[in-house]
Amino acid sequence: MFRSRRKRLLFARVLLLLKNRKPVARRRNAHMLKYPDAKVISLGIGDTTEPIPEVITSAIAKRAEALSTLEGYSGYGPEQGEKPLRTAIASTFYAGLGIEEDDIFVSDGAKCDISRLQMVFWGKCNHGSARSIIPVIYVSINWLMFDSSVIMGQTGQFQKDVEKYGKIEYMRCTPENGFFPDLSKVSRTDIIFFCSPNNPTGSAATREQLTRLVQFAKDNGSIIVYDSAYAMYMSDDNPRSIFEIPGAKEVALETSSFSKYAGFTGVRLGWTVVPKQLLYSDGFPVVKDFNRVVCTSFNGASNICQAGGRACLSPEGLKAMSEVIGFYKENTNIIMDTFNSLGFNVYGGKNAPYVWVHFPGQSSWDVFSEILEKTHVVTTPGSGFGPGGEGFVRVSAFGHRENVLEACRRFKQLYN
């Protein structure tokens, strides 16, 4: 089937990755078969649960209905996204930061854009042998940046003895370093993946920390891929965009999404910002490569979904999204208060919808299994995000209020 040994090895690695992709879901399903009458509560996967606000769904319905008329029908749109939405994103999230409408690419979600970026960088970094910085506590949604790097063959072989890939520079982020890596101990890399507010730790990088990160990228000729999917959850006075940092447009691009703001995890709508000032070492603009990949592999986000995106960014839509985010932040406070009252060291929660609970000296998977077996509540083992997450469990605040309250009651029964 494959003529080269390298392609056979890559294909085998992809099959192994896909096989092991969702161990939490498999264990959850096995638990439900074992206890068919139990009410299993999921606070594991970061999927939204509350309805999309009516001001947004009505705009989606109106655009869909218009497609049945001659006046309202539209076919293929610009691959980069409809101009009114791109303009609204620029003015809402990047006002005063020097980001223009044509720097923004509307997509079917940040997850898809991150994979497209792998196509952009394939062969561009050290002729396809790039090393990528990935903070082990972590960088993106569901290991996506990591997984896509593996699938594209840019990570080298998996080293079983240390449980790491050879061409990834792991940056351990822990409570001791404020969940921000010691950049003085990191080797030079081509690509830096960074997420703030962070999934899974719930931490958010400060202005001073991001200033150091931007300078590190400048000093090393690296490109930062910055994931800001939880920026609207920020409570502290930390940057909500990497472009708040002077000089960031020369070294960074940013990806974000409506998924966790408006409940668009199923609707699918996001965006990526690629500034014109971002250049490869030979002076070629990164945006030209990204535009070519987008126009070649993508026909543009759904026009119906883009109508929803514009409604999100109306004054009424922004107010409605803030109310939904406020609901999830209340859930976060309930979970934080529960584990704090039980004497655990708890992190996150304030700037992201995730609570990062420390179980020192214990295996993350053992804690996950005990919680599932004794409380019928699904969480996420920290080691699933990398070796630096061992000893932690992530608890998601995405859930109906009654389920969050019931889960917390069960936690208290287990650990009191």
Side-chain angles (χ1 to χ4, degrees), residues 118-349:
Q118 294 288 354
M119 297 174 65
V120 170
F121 295 133
W122 174 263
K124 288 286 185 181
C125 304
N126 291 339
H127 304 290
S129 60
R131 290 176 61 85
S132 298
I133 292 181
I134 296 186
V136 174
I137 305 297
Y138 185 43
V139 167
S140 183
I141 305 167
N142 294 333
W143 263 137
L144 176 66
M145 292 180 180
F146 193 97
D147 284 0
S148 56
S149 296
V150 173
I151 290 172
M152 294 294 285
Q154 301 207 74
T155 60
Q157 294 296 317
F158 184 71
Q159 301 168 354
K160 290 184 178 180
D161 55 333
V162 292
E163 295 189 349
K164 296 180 180 180
Y165 284 91
K167 292 183 179 179
I168 290 180
E169 184 76 26
Y170 290 74
M171 296 193 294
R172 187 175 293 269
C173 301
T174 65
E176 289 72 29
N177 62 17
F179 298 105
F180 188 84
D182 183 350
L183 297 175
S184 67
K185 298 180 180 179
V186 177
S187 302
R188 187 264 166 199
T189 68
D190 292 307
I191 309 297
I192 302 171
F193 289 128
F194 198 85
C195 174
S196 179
N198 183 264
N199 174 17
T201 67
S203 61
T206 65
R207 192 170 303 276
E208 187 274 333
Q209 289 172 334
L210 291 180
T211 298
R212 282 191 277 133
L213 182 67
V214 167
Q215 189 59 51
F216 178 84
K218 286 188 173 185
D219 293 343
N220 290 279
S222 305
I223 293 175
I224 300 169
V225 177
Y226 190 84
D227 180 350
S228 63
Y230 299 96
M232 285 186 71
Y233 285 82
M234 190 87 72
S235 295
D236 290 337
D237 186 26
N238 294 325
R240 285 157 174 73
S241 167
I242 189 66
F243 301 121
E244 294 183 36
I245 306 303
K249 289 192 290 293
E250 288 81 43
V251 295
L253 56 86
E254 180 170 306
T255 186
S256 195
S257 169
F258 288 97
S259 288
K260 305 304 169 62
Y261 301 162
F264 272 28
T265 50
V267 174
R268 308 306 308 151
L269 192 69
W271 68 90
T272 292
V273 183
V274 187
K276 292 178 283 292
Q277 299 91 327
L278 181 62
L279 309 174
Y280 295 111
S281 59
D282 62 2
F284 190 82
V286 174
V287 67
K288 289 189 175 182
D289 271 354
F290 190 67
N291 185 65
R292 184 173 183 180
V293 166
V294 167
C295 292
T296 301
S297 63
F298 184 52
N299 277 328
S302 160
N303 48 21
I304 299 171
C305 298
Q306 291 190 71
R310 288 180 63 188
C312 288
L313 302 183
S314 69
E316 298 82 5
L318 288 168
K319 181 177 183 292
M321 287 197 299
S322 295
E323 290 172 353
V324 174
I325 290 169
F327 174 86
Y328 291 128
K329 288 174 74 71
E330 289 174 1
N331 281 353
T332 307
N333 291 336
I334 293 169
I335 297 168
M336 291 277 291
D337 290 346
T338 296
F339 281 102
N340 279 322
S341 72
L342 294 170
F344 288 94
N345 288 324
V346 185
Y347 306 93

